Amino acid sequence: MKVEGQIRIPSGCAIAAVISKEGKKMSGEKIIDSMKPMHDRSNGLGGGFAGYGIYPEYKDFYALHMFFDQRATRKNCEVFLKERFEIVKSEIIPTRKIPSITDEPIIWRYFVSPLKSVLASMQLDEKEFVARTVMQINTEMHGAYVFSSGKNMGTFKAVGFPEDVGVFYKLEEYQGYSWTAHGRYPTNTPGWWGGAHPFTLLDWSIVHNGEISSYDANRRFIEMFGYKCTLQTDTEVITYIMDYLIRRQGLTLGEAASVIAAPFWSTIEDKTNREDKEKHMYLRTLFPSLLITGPFSIVFGFDGGLMALNDRLKLRSMVVGEKDDKVFIASEEAAIRTMEPDAENIWAPAGGEPVVVRVKDGAF
Amino acid sequence: MGVEFIYPEFEVIRNDNRCIACRVCERQCANEVHFFNAERGVMMSDETKCVNCQRCVSLCPTRALKIVKSDCKLRENANWQDDTIKEIYKQANSGAVLLSSMGNPKPFPVYWDKILINASQVTNPSIDPLREPMETRVFLGKKPDKVKRDANGKLLCELPPQLELSLPVMFSAMSYGSISYNAHESLARAATELGIYYNTGEGGLHEDFYCYGKNTIVQVASGRFGVHKEYLEASAAVEIKMGQGAKPGIGGHLPGAKIVGDVSRTRMIPEGSDAISPAPHHDIYSIEDLRQLVFSLKEATEYKKPIIVKVAAVHNIAAIASGIARSGADIIAIDGFRGGTGAAPTRIRDNVGIPIELALAAVDQRLRDEGIRNNVSLVVGGSIRSASDVVKAIALGADACYIATAAVLALGCHLCRTCQSGKCNWGIATQRPDLVKRLNPDIGSERLVNLVKAWQHEIKELMGGMGINSIEALRGNRLMLRGIGLTEKELEILGILHAGE
Ligand code: SF4
Ligand code: SF4
């Protein structure tokens, strides 16, 4: 049977997220709990988490989280990395043995900084270099896979139910100002750890619930710009689209949301603010191939914030709630209530309406 | 007679019990097949002249007529088929190149018919186009690589010129001269009502139709007929015709007999002179020359109109398209080998060029591999026969489709494939006033609008089924397609999986 990457596997999902606007740190415990009431939205074939602000002592270094199939692969890969990066720390990612998570690969993390000489000779900026290197390892180095590559953030994922994955990775030992979580219901059994979510590139991480119908149109467009969709998942392509729009094209989060969940032409025509109308006309005409159709709800994590977004028809459930300095996002209200029984202002954002939450400046 | 005789291809069958000798057929047939025998008081026919255009059949008030294929055949031979032998007789009789019209009728594979479309089940929902918005609007033209902002960070919302289409279908080039005034009027009015474009072809633009300019694409072909400043200015876009699917590599020839009155004036050539378009543009012998013509036309139109370059689908079309995409052109139109024509040498029509499906797939992929797909929009034609062909073309990677044969069918064409005779009984491919007036532009434009609207409904249904509510998300979405009965190589070129995969 073909595994993920050789074939496109649709899946349903559960997502959840929490962020402190004050930048207050939370352990991973709450976010693990949030996935419990949504157990039936996953089927044990993939779960994962992303935490931001979790590596303060290494915050200036890219944290590469990696899976290896065997020791030899890791050794080879380390040689490759040393030619390109200064590695300030390399270690096994701590895990605990539990019966519900089996067949784990070798899981390792490196805190790295690109070698200046290499950057200069390739005439690339740091982020572009890291992104390309990650893409190169994932497409060319058999048995090695980078599943997280941002600064002061990290992804933790596995084949299993999300609540078990959280325990496996000892997430209660990490402290972050924002967390996202994902439980997966793929309609097939790839049994591959890399296929679990969140999907990340640099600081961007995405958890996503849905199955987009525009997938191949999006993929074939974004691959023109050096991205390689090796997993054939929606999450992967959406991450690359966001990276392209925000980092490479310099769009704001709101503008990027207007590209991927563009308002209908009729809505744009009815706009009375001329500038707003022009902007939407422009973005839709310029990036037609990055419009995403079909159901999706995503939480997009970035350095210092989160953005939640639904497809323009709102074909997937997603609710937002608040309590004090915290904002909660989840597929179901029950997940929010688990994190914060007294959550207030629970509301369902309209289709295509981005909800952006940022940590206040200088808070971390 | 004798050795020169070729038994007629069709038989005119008249049911004498029904025929009331009203002589309608006689008046309707410009080929003069029907005549009244006063002595016997009956209608008779000379089927040697019949082209099976079905005009008499359609107008006979008592349904007394039918045209059938003659069963008088030469002895069967798988190698020397009937047609092949008869073509030899014709050439031995005349010493001439065989001429024919409309698209390639040979049984080459039609890839559209070997491609199946996807639909949503369970894992994502289909969308009901009657209840939810379903968008088919597209913009054709260059899309810049980089977003620009002013000093304050405000987006600079300027784009190169774009053609806005209410759905990705346009009427392809058919010149005034090859088709009639009324046919042109029908196309112009329908395009205007539909919010799409029609194309003048290479014969200039009749002064009466300047008012439809904002829905008109004007063509500049190798003969430069009818090209002048106002002509370019009147248009929404300018198309440089490098080639045509029905006759790649050769020019055009409109016989002097058709260069009469307005046709001669519009083409800016003397009455009765043959209008000969040379095979190449004599100022374009290579890609850098094309670039110069593209920019000359941009200069002439002050960079306000997109420039289209139309080429025939030939073997190395991907490399050619890549060259055009770097020439400054805004849109590339590719015409497949099944595309129609008013007249072409039979051997060329039937043997030169490649299917549009393969050309489209190869070009779209090549432009993406080179990262220049955004430099140009891709329009494909020859032949797009239905809404599902449109959907498949868009999913393979086209931005829009050109239709011409389907459009003239809507106007009444019965595909008799003898347009070159100039005696089109349906008032389309003719300049004879008595025949032209058979096509009423009020009815003609309404029928075209009906056809395109019907296709639009069907496109929306198909899109809704796939869970796609905007045509942009279908473009290049090859995962929505599967091949059936295709070889590995064909699937590889089309860039699609086989059904069941
Ligand atoms: S040429 Fe047309 S109108 Fe004339 S007899 Fe044949 S089918 Fe009828
Ligand atoms: S346009 Fe007229 S002559 Fe040409 S194929 Fe159609 S019916 Fe025949």
Side-chain angles (χ1 to χ4, degrees):
Chain A
M1 192 161 75
K2 290 185 174 167
V3 303
E4 195 130 38
Q6 295 168 311
I7 191 166
R8 183 167 147 74
I9 296 166
S11 53
C13 301
I15 61 176
V18 55
I19 180 167
S20 158
K21 289 193 275 191
E22 298 290 332
K24 289 190 194 149
K25 294 287 177 82
M26 304 161 263
S27 85
E29 232 161 333
K30 260 196 172 41
I31 194 80
I32 297 175
D33 289 344
S34 76
M35 298 310 278
K36 290 179 183 162
M38 299 196 290
H39 183 85
D40 284 354
R41 285 181 160 266
S42 318
N43 64 359
L45 292 177
F49 300 83
Y52 284 81
I54 57 171
Y55 296 133
E57 62 277 35
Y58 295 105
K59 66 179 176 10
D60 296 326
F61 298 90
Y62 293 91
L64 304 181
H65 289 193
M66 297 193 63
F67 292 137
F68 298 106
D69 59 351
Q70 51 181 337
R71 189 165 173 274
T73 312
R74 178 169 68 81
K75 288 287 171 204
N76 283 340
C77 186
E78 283 178 2
V79 172
F80 175 88
L81 289 176
K82 277 184 193 141
E83 287 164 2
R84 287 159 181 80
F85 298 95
E86 178 198 352
I87 303 177
V88 297
K89 188 178 174 72
S90 71
E91 64 183 0
I92 284 180
I93 296 182
T95 54
R96 66 166 63 86
K97 285 267 170 219
I98 51 173
S100 48
I101 305 277
T102 52
D103 291 332
E104 72 257 36
I106 299 168
I107 313 170
W108 209 271
R109 73 184 153 210
Y110 302 89
F111 293 96
V112 304
S113 171
L115 294 175
K116 294 277 175 294
S117 55
V118 177
L119 288 184
S121 76
M122 292 181 77
Q123 301 191 28
L124 290 175
D125 74 46
E126 204 179 275
K127 287 193 167 182
E128 182 63 26
F129 173 76
V130 174
R132 285 198 197 180
T133 308
V134 168
M135 221 91 66
Q136 195 185 347
I137 294 175
N138 290 353
T139 50
E140 291 170 16
M141 205 171 287
H142 186 78
Y145 187 76
V146 183
F147 63 100
S148 187
S149 54
K151 282 182 177 172
N152 200 10
M153 61 81 68
T155 319
F156 305 88
K157 59 191 188 181
V159 171
F161 281 99
E163 53 275 29
D164 299 331
V165 174
V167 172
F168 173 78
Y169 278 109
K170 305 186 176 180
L171 292 188
E172 74 281 359
E173 292 177 4
Y174 294 82
Q175 295 286 328
Y177 62 81
S178 94
W179 287 95
T180 66
H182 187 263
R184 198 166 179 230
Y185 198 132
T187 53
N188 206 325
T189 50
W192 186 52
W193 287 44
H197 303 184
F199 189 84
T200 62
L201 179 71
L202 300 172
D203 300 334
W204 319 127
S205 71
I206 289 213
V207 288
H208 154 265
N209 169 21
E211 185 195 335
I212 61 180
S213 53
S214 55
Y215 174 77
D216 217 30
N218 304 142
R219 175 188 70 84
R220 296 184 68 236
F221 181 86
I222 204 72
E223 287 197 341
M224 278 206 285
F225 306 100
Y227 301 95
K228 298 228 166 45
C229 298
T230 49
L231 293 180
Q232 301 194 28
T233 61
D234 297 348
T235 321
E236 177 187 46
V237 80
I238 297 172
T239 309
Y240 293 159
I241 290 174
M242 294 303 276
D243 181 61
Y244 174 75
L245 290 175
I246 297 173
R247 186 171 61 89
R248 308 250 303 247
Q249 289 288 354
L251 295 192
T252 63
L253 278 172
E255 286 162 355
S258 304
V259 169
I260 66 173
F264 287 100
W265 289 115
S266 55
T267 315
I268 296 176
E269 257 146 35
D270 290 346
K271 284 187 188 289
T272 45
N273 179 331
R274 198 180 58 90
E275 215 172 273
D276 190 43
K277 183 170 171 171
E278 246 183 26
K279 179 186 86 180
H280 280 98
M281 281 296 288
Y282 171 77
L283 290 173
R284 226 189 137 171
T285 312
L286 187 55
F287 297 114
S289 297
L290 296 182
L291 173 71
I292 299 178
T293 58
F296 70 84
S297 59
I298 59 172
V299 176
F300 175 65
F302 54 93
D303 184 30
L306 293 177
M307 179 178 81
L309 183 69
N310 257 138
D311 64 272
R312 54 199 196 145
L313 287 183
K314 196 163 174 84
L315 294 170
R316 278 288 187 273
S317 59
M318 187 177 71
V319 287
V320 179
E322 293 172 315
K323 178 71 185 170
D324 305 327
D325 65 318
K326 297 201 174 49
V327 178
F328 306 89
I329 304 159
S331 302
E332 293 178 15
E333 188 178 331
I336 295 182
R337 294 272 175 226
T338 312
M339 290 187 273
E340 178 54 69
D342 302 324
E344 296 154 3
N345 306 332
I346 301 244
W347 57 292
E353 179 195 310
V355 178
V356 180
V357 189
R358 289 177 199 273
V359 176
K360 83 171 185 226
D361 269 351
F364 63 93
Chain B
M1 293 298 237
V3 71
E4 292 186 0
F5 180 73
I6 297 172
Y7 194 87
E9 212 179 333
F10 306 105
E11 281 173 32
V12 178
I13 311 277
R14 193 184 315 273
N15 183 334
D16 289 330
N17 290 331
R18 288 187 173 188
C19 179
I20 51 172
C22 67
R23 301 176 73 170
V24 162
C25 50
E26 186 183 358
R27 287 190 295 279
Q28 289 296 327
C29 181
N31 295 310
E32 297 170 347
V33 170
H34 305 277
F35 57 92
F36 183 62
N37 184 322
E39 210 172 295
R40 291 170 52 201
V42 292
M43 293 300 302
M44 298 186 62
S45 30
D46 172 6
E47 45 243 305
T48 56
K49 298 173 182 160
C50 176
V51 299
N52 192 9
C53 74
Q54 301 275 320
R55 178 76 188 182
C56 57
V57 175
S58 308
L59 275 101
C60 174
T62 60
R63 249 184 292 120
L65 283 170
K66 67 175 177 181
I67 312 291
V68 299
K69 205 168 160 51
S70 160
D71 59 4
C72 175
K73 289 280 169 205
L74 297 164
R75 189 161 183 175
E76 263 174 51
N77 184 321
N79 181 35
W80 289 99
Q81 286 151 4
D82 206 70
D83 287 354
T84 317
I85 298 174
K86 284 178 183 161
E87 282 171 355
I88 289 204
Y89 292 156
K90 281 185 203 158
Q91 292 191 299
N93 289 347
S94 68
V97 165
L98 295 169
L99 276 187
S100 44
S101 50
M102 298 317 280
N104 189 334
K106 301 279 180 188
F108 287 103
V110 178
Y111 287 99
W112 301 131
D113 295 339
K114 298 176 180 223
I115 295 176
L116 298 170
I117 298 169
N118 194 27
S120 305
Q121 297 288 290
V122 184
T123 54
N124 75 356
S126 48
I127 303 169
D128 183 348
L130 297 176
R131 293 192 172 79
E132 303 281 355
M134 192 55 74
E135 301 185 305
T136 57
R137 186 187 309 197
V138 293
F139 287 87
L140 306 183
K142 229 181 247 314
K143 312 287 186 283
D145 291 341
K146 195 83 190 124
V147 168
K148 290 210 184 75
R149 294 178 186 273
D150 67 11
N152 303 320
K154 194 168 120 7
L155 282 178
L156 292 173
C157 300
E158 283 155 21
L159 287 168
Q162 307 280 321
L163 287 182
E164 179 180 339
L165 278 71
S166 65
L167 78 161
V169 174
M170 305 190 283
F171 300 131
S172 180
M174 287 178 277
S175 70
Y176 174 44
S178 77
I179 61 169
S180 64
Y181 178 97
N182 285 1
H184 250 213
E185 182 176 341
S186 305
L187 290 164
R189 284 167 54 183
T192 304
E193 188 175 336
L194 288 163
I196 59 170
Y197 301 85
Y198 86 108
N199 188 314
T200 60
E202 60 170 319
L205 178 61
H206 193 284
E207 59 214 13
D208 294 355
F209 302 146
Y210 274 64
C211 55
Y212 303 111
K214 68 180 193 16
N215 295 83
T216 306
I217 295 170
V218 298
Q219 213 179 45
V220 172
S222 60
R224 300 287 196 274
F225 300 121
V227 178
H228 52 91
K229 191 155 184 287
E230 291 73 43
Y231 171 73
L232 298 177
E233 274 169 2
S235 70
V238 182
E239 179 171 279
I240 300 172
K241 178 192 176 185
M242 296 301 303
Q244 183 178 346
K247 40 181 172 178
I250 65 163
H253 180 182
L254 195 63
K258 285 189 179 177
I259 311 292
V260 290
D262 282 358
V263 175
S264 115
R265 205 146 41 84
T266 308
R267 292 204 174 216
M268 298 161 48
I269 52 170
E271 286 210 31
S273 63
D274 287 6
I276 298 184
S277 314
H281 285 245
H282 282 303
D283 52 359
I284 303 180
Y285 277 43
S286 182
I287 188 78
E288 61 274 18
D289 298 337
L290 172 66
R291 187 177 171 84
Q292 292 201 9
L293 181 57
V294 167
F295 279 95
S296 307
L297 292 169
K298 287 196 173 205
E299 286 288 338
T301 54
E302 296 171 346
Y303 294 84
K304 286 187 190 137
K305 299 174 200 261
I307 307 294
I308 306 170
V309 173
K310 176 176 176 176
V311 283
V314 290
H315 297 178
N316 54 341
I317 187 66
I320 294 166
S322 152
I324 300 172
R326 297 173 204 272
S327 73
D330 300 273
I331 299 167
I332 304 179
I334 308 174
D335 199 14
F337 82 145
R338 261 182 258 105
T341 175
T346 310
R347 294 292 166 247
I348 294 205
R349 184 195 67 176
D350 295 354
N351 296 282
V352 181
I354 63 169
I356 190 60
E357 302 89 324
L358 302 180
L360 162 60
V363 168
D364 177 68
Q365 191 54 50
R366 176 67 168 264
L367 297 183
R368 287 172 194 263
D369 289 347
E370 296 185 19
I372 52 175
R373 181 65 183 81
N374 267 355
N375 280 12
V376 283
S377 291
L378 274 185
V379 180
V380 298
S383 70
I384 303 291
R385 305 157 304 165
S386 65
S388 53
D389 287 358
V390 174
V391 166
K392 291 169 191 176
I394 303 292
L396 277 180
D399 290 86
C401 296
Y402 258 150
I403 61 168
T405 303
V408 293
L409 287 173
L411 291 176
C413 165
H414 279 59
L415 224 51
C416 67
R417 312 203 300 256
T418 47
C419 320
Q420 74 276 11
S421 73
K423 289 191 281 193
C424 175
N425 273 323
W426 295 92
I428 301 163
T430 178
Q431 298 303 325
R432 253 173 63 176
D434 59 318
L435 300 178
V436 172
K437 74 171 200 287
R438 291 179 181 179
L439 174 60
N440 177 338
D442 290 337
I443 298 171
S445 59
E446 188 188 316
R447 290 179 61 81
L448 286 168
V449 170
N450 283 347
L451 173 76
V452 176
K453 287 240 161 102
W455 283 21
Q456 186 171 28
H457 285 301
E458 291 175 333
I459 291 169
K460 288 180 175 182
E461 290 282 352
L462 286 163
M463 281 167 50
M466 289 181 267
I468 287 176
N469 58 9
S470 176
I471 199 124
E472 295 114 298
L474 178 64
R475 186 163 59 94
N477 197 335
R478 295 191 185 173
L479 217 44
M480 289 296 167
L481 303 176
R482 289 290 188 276
I484 184 114
L486 295 175
T487 63
E488 287 274 347
K489 193 72 195 171
E490 289 166 319
L491 293 168
E492 179 195 318
I493 295 167
L494 289 167
I496 61 176
L497 298 172
H498 200 274
E501 278 191 281

